[in-house]
Amino acid sequence: MANQQYASCIEACNACASACDFCAASCLQEQDVKMMARCIALDMDCAQICRLAAGYMARGSEHAKAICRLCADICQTCADECGKHQMSHCQECAAACKRCAEECRRMAA
Amino acid sequence: MANQQYASCIEACNACASACDFCAASCLQEQDVKMMARCIALDMDCAQICRLAAGYMARGSEHAKAICRLCADICQTCADECGKHQMSHCQECAAACKRCAEECRRMAA
Amino acid sequence: MANQQYASCIEACNACASACDFCAASCLQEQDVKMMARCIALDMDCAQICRLAAGYMARGSEHAKAICRLCADICQTCADECGKHQMSHCQECAAACKRCAEECRRMAA
Amino acid sequence: MANQQYASCIEACNACASACDFCAASCLQEQDVKMMARCIALDMDCAQICRLAAGYMARGSEHAKAICRLCADICQTCADECGKHQMSHCQECAAACKRCAEECRRMAA
């Protein structure tokens, strides 16, 4: 439906946004929320830029590559932070962020 | 990755948002853009509320149902407008909006 | 610059979004983050719907009133939760949410 | 209410987002919409990144500077396009975009 050249990157952005939002909400239910503070903050940043990037790509925006370049950086930072925590919502989020960072880097190239 | 109870509705919201953004950009490339003005305006509204709804559901927000109820209305209006135009981007957008409206109504029930 | 009829409501939505985002980030820095979990979750919901509402109003969307009606509810819920906490970021957020709820109710009427 | 160091940049982002959304909707009402197609597309991009940037700054995000750097580029492109058209909504949007680009560049420095 959307721009076909962007299909797999849009899909990765949507999956990453969902994983980040789910991770943020799950972190808020953990016993030691304080330890998760940076994870939650990065989840918020990452979910928002991923959804923005999906929209730019779907519209075939002339700024889509620039957004994807920045999105890759934010996804990578979030992947690194989430990867430090053993809960499944963090590990799954780290994997989704890492995949999205790769897709976005490929798109921005 | 996200809340499983919401998985199919989130997927429909993401697909609808992409279809609306693609439709808006494609309408802007049509010969008679003026005829597409309301379609473009509704595409913008619909893409934005669909991505918002996806986020609320992924976080398991206490307001997810209320957002889905409103999202269903906006999707339906957009489906009705897009359905009037014969271009494939409009017809595909109408189908994505209609499916999303149904998923959101089911979610809000 | 934007639709004049909406100017004060847009301004209230922007102020509320900023207050909610600042409150969420500040809550994450508190000693007892766990106590602030619902506050943070509502801040996220509220900041996002407020920015969405500001955009719908600025575009003069046919769905602006419906968005404002829902935005008022979410602002009110967030105001009630933030109002329970004594930190200045929560008290200021509660005030911004309350004012935004009033502006949105007036707009939706 | 929000991070004080960011106050004037957040304000410029909000004003720019409103001006872009208003300009996009106004362009869709013009006689010759086709001539405004790139303006409308850039207005959408610009309104969305400005609201994203406002949120990142309000949360004091570690990625706020990077977002502001990209936001400045997108605002500048939108200012240049809007500046070509004589309608007041375009001229006012160009001014808001230019001011926001300056604020964002200052923030990103």
Side-chain angles (χ1 to χ4, degrees), chain B residues 84-105:
Chain B
K84 294 176 191 167
H85 307 285
Q86 296 310 312
M87 295 83 85
S88 64
H89 56 81
C90 280
Q91 289 296 315
E92 287 170 12
C93 187
C97 288
K98 206 177 156 190
R99 184 166 79 85
C100 192
E102 286 161 10
E103 286 278 356
C104 283
R105 259 181 233 119

Side-chain angles (χ1 to χ4, degrees), chain B residues 23-24 26-43 81-82 84-87 89-91, chain D residues 28 33:
Chain B
C23 184
S26 303
C27 285
L28 286 173
Q29 305 305 320
E30 293 289 338
Q31 273 307 110
D32 188 355
V33 189
K34 195 154 190 59
M35 191 179 65
M36 311 311 297
R38 185 166 176 257
C39 188
I40 296 167
L42 289 170
D43 282 339
E81 174 63 28
C82 280
K84 294 176 191 167
H85 307 285
Q86 296 310 312
M87 295 83 85
H89 56 81
C90 280
Q91 289 296 315
Chain D
L28 287 174
V33 189

Side-chain angles (χ1 to χ4, degrees), chain D residues 20-100:
Chain D
C20 286
D21 270 324
F22 180 63
C23 185
S26 302
C27 285
L28 287 174
Q29 305 305 318
E30 292 289 338
Q31 272 308 110
D32 188 355
V33 189
K34 195 155 190 56
M35 190 180 65
M36 310 312 297
R38 185 166 175 255
C39 189
I40 295 167
L42 289 170
D43 282 338
M44 288 190 221
D45 283 0
C46 195
Q48 292 185 11
I49 188 89
C50 282
R51 289 204 180 88
L52 190 89
Y56 274 58
M57 286 187 277
R59 292 194 302 273
S61 162
E62 59 186 87
H63 294 109
K65 283 194 178 204
I67 293 281
C68 285
R69 195 169 301 122
L70 179 54
C71 191
D73 290 345
I74 294 174
C75 287
Q76 190 60 57
T77 311
C78 194
D80 293 345
E81 175 63 29
C82 280
K84 294 176 192 168
H85 306 286
Q86 297 310 313
M87 295 83 86
S88 63
H89 56 79
C90 280
Q91 289 294 315
E92 286 170 12
C93 187
C97 288
K98 207 177 154 189
R99 185 165 80 84
C100 191

